[in-house]
Amino acid sequence: MASFDNEVAEEYFPLVRIYKDGRIERLRGTAVVPPSLDSESDVLSKDVVYSPEANLSSRLYLPKLIAGTNQKLPLLVYFHGGCFVIETAFSPTYHNYLNSFVSQLDVIVVSVDYRRAPEHPLPIAFDDCWTALKWVASHVHGKGPEEWLNSHADLGKVFFAGDSAGATIAHQMAMRYAEEKPVGFDLLGIILVHPYFMGEEPVGDEVKIAAFREQVGRYWRLAHPTSSGCDDLLINPAADPNLAKLGCSKVLVTVAQKDMLKYRGWYYYENLKKSGWSGEVEIMEAEEEEHVFHLDKLSCENSVAMLQKIASFMSIHAKSS
C-alpha cells in the first residue's frame, strides 16, 4: 500500500508546506543560534522562561558595559515577524539585528518568543505576548525573577516594537495595555516596522496589487482559520472604532517604498491621526527598499537612517557607526 507521508495537502510558499499526514514543514526561518556575548557589538544575551506552563522563553539583550552596575536603561519589548508562522526570537536574523540595535541605542531588550500557527492558531500568539508583558511587569520595584530586568530596566520608559507580523502584535499589545493597565510599567510608545496590516477593500494603490492582497488573505486564514477575514481588527486595526484608545502617547510607523504592505502602513498612520487619539504619530518611508530590508542589510544607508529615527523617537542618541 502506498504511503501518503510525502503527499502535500497545502503549500503556502515561501512559508510552510502541509502534508496529508498532518506534518508541517517550515520552508524558512528555522535556524536558531544560542545566546552569547557578541564580540562585534559587545552585547550580552540570555534566554529566560516567561511561561513555564507553555515552555516559552524570551531572549534578553544587555550592553556588556552596564553588567554589574545599577545603571537603568529604557526597555524595549520586541516581537519578531514571520506571518505568525515562521521565525523565532532565537533566529540568527533577529539575534544579529538586536545585538546591533542594543549596541547602537543603549537599551535593554526583551525579545519575545511566541507559539506559531498553524499548530497554534491565532489568537494564541497574542495571548502569549501578553503573558510575556505581564512577566515584564512583575519586575516592578526590582522584585521580579530576572536580575537583568530588576537591575537595569527602567520600567517607567517602556516601548513595544516589531516588524511585519511583530508590528501587528505590538499594536495589539498597546491596545490591550490601554484596556487592562497592568501595574508595573509605563508604555511610552510603539514602533511599527513595515506592519502586516490588510483589509477587504483596497486602499491607495492596492487596486493594482490584487494578487498580493489575495495572498495576504490566504496567509491570514492559515494563521487564523476562525477569523472573519481581512477586516478582522487584528489585521485591520485602522478600522477599529476604539483606535483612539491606543495605550501610548507616541507611535512611529516605518514603511518601505517597494513593499506592497506600505499602503496599509500609511492608511494606519492617517486613520490614527484622525481617530481622536491624543498622542503623536510619525511615519518614515525608505526609498528603493523592500519589506524588512533592514534585517539583512544592517549597515546600509536606509537601515542606519531608520535606526537614527528610532533613537530620536525614543529620545536616545544613537552611537556613530
Side-chain angles (χ1 to χ4, degrees):
M1 187 173 179
S3 170
F4 293 96
D5 287 355
N6 291 317
E7 289 194 24
V8 176
E10 293 182 276
E11 179 127 11
Y12 295 84
F13 185 82
L15 304 179
V16 297
R17 184 177 292 132
I18 302 175
Y19 292 90
K20 288 186 176 179
D21 65 359
R23 183 164 49 93
I24 294 167
E25 178 188 5
R26 287 183 167 80
L27 304 177
R28 57 191 297 185
T30 58
V32 297
V33 293
S36 62
L37 168 57
D38 184 64
S39 58
E40 291 189 18
S41 63
D42 221 22
V43 170
L44 291 162
S45 57
K46 66 177 173 179
D47 296 339
V48 181
V49 173
Y50 71 82
S51 175
E53 297 79 11
N55 192 29
L56 290 170
S57 299
S58 291
R59 180 158 292 180
L60 277 57
Y61 295 84
L62 181 73
K64 182 187 175 186
L65 286 175
I66 74 160
T69 73
N70 291 318
Q71 184 179 348
K72 298 279 189 176
L73 298 175
L75 172 64
L76 181 88
V77 182
Y78 194 88
F79 308 101
H80 71 80
C83 286
F84 304 102
V85 173
I86 60 170
E87 296 288 0
T88 69
F90 318 117
S91 76
T93 296
Y94 288 100
H95 186 69
N96 294 337
Y97 174 66
L98 290 173
N99 273 327
S100 175
F101 187 101
V102 170
S103 173
Q104 293 295 309
L105 268 67
D106 276 341
V107 294
I108 184 169
V109 167
V110 174
S111 179
V112 179
D113 201 48
Y114 50 84
R115 287 173 288 181
R116 299 167 301 176
E119 301 96 323
H120 303 283
L122 295 178
I124 288 174
F126 294 101
D127 292 337
D128 288 345
C129 292
W130 186 248
T131 297
L133 291 175
K134 289 192 292 185
W135 176 82
V136 168
S138 74
H139 294 82
V140 65
H141 306 310
K143 295 181 180 178
E146 172 47 47
E147 190 53 39
W148 279 10
L149 296 184
N150 287 334
S151 298
H152 303 300
D154 184 345
L155 296 181
K157 296 179 180 178
V158 176
F159 295 83
F160 300 163
D163 64 278
S164 196
T168 311
I169 293 172
H171 165 82
Q172 294 298 336
M173 293 302 98
M175 293 297 296
R176 192 159 174 177
Y177 174 85
E179 290 179 5
E180 300 189 27
K181 289 289 185 184
V183 175
F185 67 86
D186 294 323
L187 177 63
L188 299 187
I190 60 174
I191 301 156
L192 309 183
V193 179
H194 309 168
Y196 179 64
F197 296 153
M198 190 46 67
E200 294 292 345
E201 295 299 321
V203 300
D205 281 347
E206 282 184 347
V207 291
K208 302 175 182 177
I209 54 169
F212 174 79
R213 296 180 65 253
E214 183 178 346
Q215 182 185 51
V216 171
R218 186 166 180 256
Y219 289 168
W220 176 247
R221 289 189 295 275
L222 169 68
H224 196 347
T226 61
S227 170
S228 60
C230 284
D231 276 342
D232 188 319
L233 298 184
L234 290 177
I235 195 173
N236 188 12
D240 190 342
N242 293 314
L243 187 59
K245 297 179 181 179
L246 187 68
C248 58
S249 60
K250 299 171 67 176
V251 173
L252 172 63
V253 182
T254 77
V255 296
Q257 184 182 18
K258 293 184 177 181
D259 179 8
M260 287 184 280
L261 287 172
K262 72 175 183 180
Y263 307 110
R264 287 290 156 175
W266 277 101
Y267 187 64
Y268 172 91
Y269 165 76
E270 296 291 350
N271 277 266
L272 184 58
K273 277 202 304 183
K274 64 187 182 184
S275 70
W277 175 66
S278 60
E280 296 181 4
V281 56
E282 303 175 62
I283 192 164
M284 176 186 195
E285 181 166 330
E287 295 183 1
E288 298 297 318
E289 298 291 4
E290 305 280 355
H291 188 63
V292 297
F293 70 92
H294 62 293
L295 295 177
D296 294 320
K297 301 190 293 183
L298 296 179
S299 59
C300 78
E301 184 177 347
N302 282 324
S303 291
V304 171
M306 187 168 74
L307 192 66
Q308 290 173 340
K309 182 66 174 179
I310 292 171
S312 174
F313 175 81
M314 296 176 67
S315 300
I316 297 170
H317 297 291
K319 298 174 184 176
S320 58
S321 56

